[in-house]
Amino acid sequence: MMKKYIIASYLVFWFMVLGICGTASMVFHCPPVVMRILSNVCAWAPTIVLLVGFKKFCPGITVKQFYKKAFDGKISIATLLIAAFITVCATMGTVSILSAIQGKTLSSYFSLGTYPFWASFLFSITTGPTGEESGWRGYVRPYLNAKYSFFKASLLQGIIWAFWHTVLWFVDSDFMGLQMIPYILSNVIVMSGLCFIMNFFMEKHDNLVYGIVVHFCFNFLYCFLKVDIWFYVILSVIYIAVIAVLCLIKAKQTGAQIASRDKLWKQRPEA
């Protein structure tokens, strides 16, 4: 059922983007605020698919039980802030490096955008962070984590999540031609990196709030960024480093757990 869920989420999202947003833009020439609202609605495709087919995708449990389990893990404010900090620092660090290379001020890479601050906040929290996470982290993540290692599960989540956005690379991107190559690669690398961050913290604190917060911290900054393709190139390098560090920490934690179990095993009394 997992493959069916993923395929359905892809198809429903692509249909909503091309059908609803495409019609609203090209036929009705809707204003930007309406288009933004419609794009937020499209972002809920993974949750819509999950809830519509819930009995098939999650047999034996109710929707209430599913969400109770998804938000049942203990939340540590410290680790939640660390997860958010890593996500924000990756973006801000990239802007700082780009600023130093291009000789521009940091402020030149930011703009207040089309909407007031409160509207940007509202749009950001009601799109991917709340619309996608039930499906990708609430449903897909536990399945992949149970089947694969931390590295493989996180990487697969990132690839699945990234290519779900495929239609947006072509209809909602400022890049064309050869610039699409680093842009698409960056999307895959960065979204995989975000999955590694989410998975790293959610393995210990199994609560969907971590996914929502990381997703929000990443999306919110993009409401104000004005960057070129080199931003995405540098961001990719930053997230490769983040993945490497998280995997090293995870490997050390796993090694320590194995050593601890071995020690306890050797100390057990003989029969």
Side-chain angles (χ1 to χ4, degrees):
M1 293 308 295
M2 179 58 60
K3 289 182 180 178
K4 290 183 179 180
Y5 169 76
I6 293 170
I7 292 170
S9 294
Y10 270 53
L11 294 178
V12 169
F13 177 63
W14 294 352
F15 174 79
M16 290 174 75
V17 170
L18 297 174
I20 298 175
C21 293
T23 301
S25 175
M26 299 179 70
V27 178
F28 297 103
H29 307 290
C30 293
V33 65
V34 174
M35 294 305 300
R36 183 57 197 266
I37 292 171
L38 290 176
S39 69
N40 275 32
V41 172
C42 292
W44 282 77
T47 300
I48 293 170
V49 171
L50 179 64
L51 294 179
V52 169
F54 191 82
K55 289 184 179 180
K56 290 185 177 180
F57 297 131
C58 303
I61 65 169
T62 64
V63 173
K64 183 178 179 180
Q65 289 171 330
F66 172 83
Y67 278 105
K68 185 179 185 300
K69 185 178 184 302
F71 290 98
D72 196 41
K74 184 179 179 181
I75 298 175
S76 164
I77 299 300
T79 56
L80 190 64
L81 290 174
I82 291 171
F85 182 75
I86 293 171
T87 309
V88 171
C89 281
T91 300
M92 294 305 298
T94 301
V95 175
S96 298
I97 293 170
L98 192 63
S99 172
I101 293 172
Q102 296 182 338
K104 297 179 181 179
T105 62
L106 281 173
S107 60
S108 65
Y109 295 96
F110 293 92
S111 169
L112 289 178
T114 309
Y115 313 105
F117 183 86
W118 66 267
S120 295
F121 181 92
L122 185 62
F123 282 139
S124 294
I125 196 68
T126 56
T127 181
T130 48
E132 299 174 29
E133 291 305 311
S134 291
W136 300 135
R137 252 59 64 185
Y139 178 62
V140 175
R141 176 189 159 271
Y143 174 86
L144 293 178
N145 279 12
K147 194 172 182 180
Y148 303 108
S149 66
F150 169 78
F151 179 84
K152 189 173 182 180
S154 300
L155 185 61
L156 284 173
Q157 289 170 49
I159 292 171
I160 291 168
W161 189 28
F163 281 97
W164 178 76
H165 291 81
T166 298
V167 66
L168 299 182
W169 299 343
F170 299 98
V171 303
D172 191 32
S173 166
D174 296 327
F175 305 108
M176 297 179 66
L178 291 177
Q179 287 189 335
M180 285 296 292
I181 297 174
Y183 178 70
I184 291 172
L185 286 174
S186 176
N187 270 261
V188 176
I189 293 169
V190 171
M191 289 187 197
S192 295
L194 290 170
C195 286
F196 272 87
I197 295 172
M198 294 173 186
N199 220 10
F200 181 83
F201 290 98
M202 289 177 73
E203 277 203 345
K204 185 175 181 181
H205 308 279
D206 193 9
N207 194 304
L208 204 56
V209 168
Y210 283 84
I212 292 171
V213 169
V214 169
H215 200 157
F216 169 77
C217 288
F218 181 79
N219 279 12
F220 185 56
L221 289 175
Y222 276 77
C223 295
F224 312 105
L225 280 175
K226 296 189 303 176
V227 292
D228 57 24
I229 192 62
W230 289 106
F231 169 84
Y232 294 95
V233 173
I234 297 170
L235 188 66
S236 298
V237 176
I238 294 289
Y239 268 96
I240 289 173
V242 169
I243 291 171
V245 170
L246 291 177
C247 285
L248 284 173
I249 295 172
K250 185 65 179 175
K252 286 185 177 180
Q253 289 177 345
T254 303
Q257 289 170 358
I258 293 172
S260 178
R261 284 199 299 266
D262 289 345
K263 186 177 180 181
L264 289 172
W265 177 261
K266 290 177 182 179
Q267 291 176 348
R268 70 186 180 90
E270 293 185 3

